[in-house]
Amino acid sequence: MIGHQMSNNLLLEPLPVRAPLVAQTAAAIRARIEAGRWHVGEQLPAEPQLATELGISRGTLRESVRMLISNGLLDRRHGVGTFVARVPRPSIDRGIDELFGATDAIAQMGYRPALGACSVELVAAPDVVARELRLRRRTEVCFIERVRLADNRPVVLCQDYFDATLLREHDIEVDHVEQQILARGGSLYAWLERDLGRRIDTAMARIEPVLATLTTAAKLEVAPGVALLRLRQTHFGPDGAEILYSDNLHNSDLMHFHVVRRRARPTF
Amino acid sequence: MIGHQMSNNLLLEPLPVRAPLVAQTAAAIRARIEAGRWHVGEQLPAEPQLATELGISRGTLRESVRMLISNGLLDRRHGVGTFVARVPRPSIDRGIDELFGATDAIAQMGYRPALGACSVELVAAPDVVARELRLRRRTEVCFIERVRLADNRPVVLCQDYFDATLLREHDIEVDHVEQQILARGGSLYAWLERDLGRRIDTAMARIEPVLATLTTAAKLEVAPGVALLRLRQTHFGPDGAEILYSDNLHNSDLMHFHVVRRRARPTF
């Protein structure tokens, strides 16, 4: 689905590996556009000249340009050249103590939110999920994996788990879940509230820095070994009942978090 | 000054790669003690046997054991053998919205807090520091770098900056700063409040996952390329005035953060 932009040989390399030149080059072109080097509608220099400037091969440049075209940043007019389609928007920056839907966060920054690869299956609850949702070990849970996109670029890889009983209660087939979530704009929170009557109110999140593995890097379209922000969250309803366990990996180039910290009681 | 750490995740140079075997081995021994394989006071297997079990050379094993002895986890009785001195304590886990001193956080978990390497110098404010503290560009600031230890293991690498005028106001020589902070138990907050009359009240923190560079890995005694949690913080007094800018890197094996997130206003 979104793996097509990652070359196959990258997936076979041992971890951790160097950032691929193609992604680095795309970032360098993006940075030049952000810095105002080329404006919207302006034509990029000819391939040989730009490749020399960036110190890379023409093949690498061509791949990077293809990546930026698919991101909507560049535009190719056949027989004419490559043009700047738009200036990259600032990254998404949110308070970490605020529980928001990714779809909203993406849209509020002026990006077009979309759902990338999505899979839904019933699985035996992994131990951490059973413990966090207070389910018996190996209880059947619905496992949903989604990639959230901002203007076609992957921002978050979401892995969500909830008690499969919830689907049975509402006579929902596992094969229909993806479609129903899509009908709610890709928002799991909206679907849980509107279709399953479970409103998410708060979440307890553990904040962890992790390295992108081969698998997660491919899904987020980043280089394996880059640092990602992981939020592992147990979600509660207004009555304090456990509803949902999420394991989210954020592309830290695109999604930033901040927090206001307060001295509760000085202890010195 | 901090420019080398401001790079984003896609470093342009190849990343330092393999975790050093010594640290990996120390972690493996630590994990076995945590799991109850050997109890406090119990003797570790003989060197050749343990090296075979761990699949490493005796030289590597010896170095790892030395590291664990200096961490207080193992104890060597000369002519007898190596013994388990204590079971590793759980990691330090704090709310990220709580502004606390590292010294307190370490002590509250039952570890012995201490100050590792510390350096103090006057430098021209890096751009980000000048901007965050609302100082003129290149204003002279006091730059303090500290490594905070828990039972001798580095937990946080702290880089702090504040307007050097504060030192002049109080007739404090830069050479005396380290001593004064040590006299406050290594706490910069306590020193600022008690010796300089500046109480830290809140901080705005940016939460970022980063990779340990060769330099920061050495200071935190972790492998280069591991994921660290970085908190870049602007600290304010009760009147909202900017006082201190900090760039903290946390060893994420030892220091964990969590947060309770709330749905402010559902937007779907």
Side-chain angles (χ1 to χ4, degrees), chain A residues 261 263 265-268, chain B residues 89-96 98-114 146 148-151 153 155-156 158 184-189 231 248 250-251 254-258:
Chain A
R261 310 178 75 194
R263 283 278 281 291
R265 21 158 207 91
T267 45
F268 58 79
Chain B
R89 293 202 188 86
S91 62
I92 300 158
D93 191 345
R94 293 292 289 249
I96 203 162
E98 213 185 314
L99 187 60
F100 53 83
T103 306
D104 291 334
I106 291 167
Q108 282 164 20
M109 284 304 292
Y111 289 96
R112 191 171 50 79
R146 291 170 301 158
R148 320 298 289 271
L149 309 174
D151 286 5
R153 297 178 69 194
V155 180
V156 200
C158 306
R184 296 298 182 194
S187 166
L188 188 60
Y189 291 171
L231 290 180
N248 294 343
H250 298 83
N251 176 337
L254 296 178
M255 182 91 210
H256 298 161
F257 288 99
H258 61 260

Side-chain angles (χ1 to χ4, degrees), chain B:
Chain B
M1 212 66 264
I2 57 170
H4 65 288
Q5 290 171 3
M6 297 295 288
S7 54
N8 64 21
N9 296 320
L10 286 175
L11 296 176
L12 289 174
E13 46 192 314
L15 276 175
V17 285
R18 354 171 270 128
L21 216 45
V22 170
Q24 276 180 34
T25 305
I29 296 173
R30 173 179 290 271
R32 280 168 170 74
I33 297 172
E34 275 182 293
R37 164 78 185 279
W38 307 298
H39 299 282
V40 172
E42 199 171 321
Q43 187 171 358
L44 253 52
E47 225 176 50
Q49 188 190 329
L50 190 52
T52 305
E53 174 184 333
L54 296 167
I56 48 155
S57 74
R58 291 177 63 176
T60 303
L61 175 60
R62 229 167 284 145
E63 265 193 83
S64 314
V65 165
R66 264 199 296 276
M67 183 186 277
L68 291 168
I69 288 171
S70 90
N71 291 343
L73 216 71
L74 297 178
D75 195 18
R76 177 169 292 146
R77 298 184 209 155
H78 288 286
V80 186
T82 305
F83 294 80
V84 176
R86 64 168 176 80
V87 173
R89 293 202 188 86
S91 62
I92 300 158
D93 191 345
R94 293 292 289 249
I96 203 162
D97 48 349
E98 213 185 314
L99 187 60
F100 53 83
T103 306
D104 291 334
I106 291 167
Q108 282 164 20
M109 284 304 292
Y111 289 96
R112 191 171 50 79
L115 201 57
C118 177
S119 71
V120 183
E121 52 182 324
L122 297 178
V123 300
D127 285 350
V128 61
V129 174
R131 191 172 63 240
E132 290 295 324
L133 295 183
R134 294 211 271 171
L135 301 172
R136 257 178 241 201
R137 284 195 64 200
R138 319 285 296 155
T139 301
E140 195 179 49
V141 291
C142 181
F143 169 55
I144 304 179
E145 183 176 276
R146 291 170 301 158
V147 177
R148 320 298 289 271
L149 309 174
D151 286 5
N152 278 336
R153 297 178 69 194
V155 180
V156 200
L157 171 63
C158 306
Q159 298 187 324
D160 290 277
Y161 303 82
F162 59 87
D163 189 347
T165 309
L166 210 50
L167 291 184
R168 289 192 288 273
E169 265 176 25
H170 291 81
D171 270 330
I172 297 172
E173 296 288 330
V174 70
D175 293 347
H176 296 158
V177 169
E178 179 177 353
Q179 224 177 338
Q180 292 199 357
I181 294 176
L182 272 169
R184 296 298 182 194
S187 166
L188 188 60
Y189 291 171
W191 176 68
L192 283 170
E193 181 163 342
R194 301 200 174 169
D195 296 79
L196 299 170
R198 290 293 190 284
R199 180 177 155 73
I200 300 281
D201 201 55
T202 55
M204 162 61 87
R206 298 147 207 81
I207 303 159
E208 298 161 348
V210 294
L211 302 180
T213 62
L214 287 176
T215 311
T216 58
K219 289 174 179 175
L220 284 171
E221 293 175 19
V222 296
V226 304
L228 304 173
L229 193 75
R230 182 189 193 192
L231 290 180
R232 288 191 298 131
Q233 307 187 118
T234 306
H235 294 81
F236 307 91
D239 57 353
E242 295 82 359
I243 299 176
L244 183 72
Y245 179 80
S246 303
D247 192 337
N248 294 343
L249 289 179
H250 298 83
N251 176 337
S252 38
D253 279 342
L254 296 178
M255 182 91 210
H256 298 161
F257 288 99
H258 61 260
V259 67
V260 175
R261 310 178 73 194
R262 289 173 204 289
R263 283 278 283 289
R265 19 160 209 89
T267 45
F268 58 79

Side-chain angles (χ1 to χ4, degrees), chain A residues 245-258:
Chain A
Y245 178 81
S246 303
D247 191 336
N248 294 343
L249 289 178
H250 298 83
N251 176 337
S252 38
D253 279 341
L254 296 177
M255 182 92 209
H256 298 161
F257 288 98
H258 61 260

Side-chain angles (χ1 to χ4, degrees), chain A residues 123-131 137-139 141 161:
Chain A
V123 299
D127 284 350
V128 62
V129 174
R131 191 171 63 239
R137 285 195 64 200
R138 319 285 295 155
T139 301
V141 290
Y161 303 83

